[in-house]
Amino acid sequence: MTEIYPYKHILVAVDGSKITSNVLESAIDSALRNHASLDILRIVQVTQLTDGYSNAALSNEETYNIVKTTKERLDDLKKRAVDAGVEDVNVHIRFGNPKRVIAHEFPSDHNTELIVLGATGVSGLERFVLGSVTHYVSRMAKCDVLVVRKNDHVN
């Protein structure tokens, strides 16, 4: 009997919060179980880098430095996935609204079948003002969504 692997393309959205390690581990486990590719995605919100109200724009140098630092962090996460045995791992940096990018744009561009993300990466006030990315993605994504909750027993 041939095994059926429901997920061939898995997206893990990371935000650098404390739960990132747990989220990545869950995504790695899912990728290994399904013999799937793993896309590691970090969204950079320009409004978080400026005051959000002005027309301030980042200089080319500032943008380069943000992308370089983010890429280095993502490469570390990629190494963890590869070391764990995931054969097809790619890292991606996108600028924009995390809700739209994670729920719609990226999955459409990459045929994502499972999105893995953390329960929350923002404070209560930010969640109230911005709305939870996780809540939005879990309601609006056209593919399955795995929400990873913080586990204090995992390093």
Side-chain angles (χ1 to χ4, degrees):
M1 179 176 194
T2 304
E3 283 192 64
I4 297 173
Y5 301 106
Y7 307 119
K8 291 295 179 198
H9 306 283
I10 298 174
L11 164 63
V12 58
V14 296
D15 62 4
S17 65
K18 293 178 183 177
I19 197 170
T20 294
S21 184
N22 300 55
V23 173
L24 181 65
E25 289 304 317
S26 291
I28 289 170
D29 289 345
S30 295
L32 290 172
R33 269 194 316 275
N34 290 281
H35 303 279
S37 66
L38 182 62
D39 290 305
I40 304 172
L41 173 66
R42 173 74 164 103
I43 309 295
V44 177
Q45 285 182 269
V46 176
T47 55
Q48 289 180 333
L49 305 173
T50 63
D51 62 16
Y53 296 102
S54 71
N55 290 328
L58 296 174
S59 70
N60 288 343
E61 183 178 347
E62 290 169 319
T63 302
Y64 172 80
N65 288 335
I66 290 166
V67 170
K68 181 178 182 256
T69 301
T70 302
K71 174 92 167 68
E72 289 168 356
R73 291 179 184 154
L74 290 175
D75 285 341
D76 289 342
L77 299 179
K78 177 180 179 175
K79 183 178 181 330
R80 284 178 54 190
V82 169
D83 289 350
V86 182
E87 294 179 17
D88 186 4
V89 184
N90 298 288
V91 296
H92 308 270
I93 301 168
R94 294 249 180 128
F95 287 84
N97 180 312
K99 292 177 183 179
R100 284 195 306 265
V101 173
I102 297 168
H104 306 292
E105 296 168 12
F106 192 93
S108 176
D109 293 346
H110 295 271
N111 300 313
T112 301
E113 297 151 333
L114 175 66
I115 299 170
V116 182
L117 70 167
T120 183
V122 297
S123 70
L125 177 61
E126 287 176 306
R127 195 167 38 255
F128 176 75
V129 173
L130 302 173
S132 167
V133 171
T134 303
H135 181 69
Y136 179 88
V137 171
S138 67
R139 285 185 304 113
M140 303 304 290
K142 292 183 179 175
C143 63
D144 290 344
V145 177
L146 172 61
V147 177
V148 178
R149 305 208 180 275
K150 183 177 179 189
N151 181 348
D152 294 326
H153 302 293
V154 177
N155 293 337

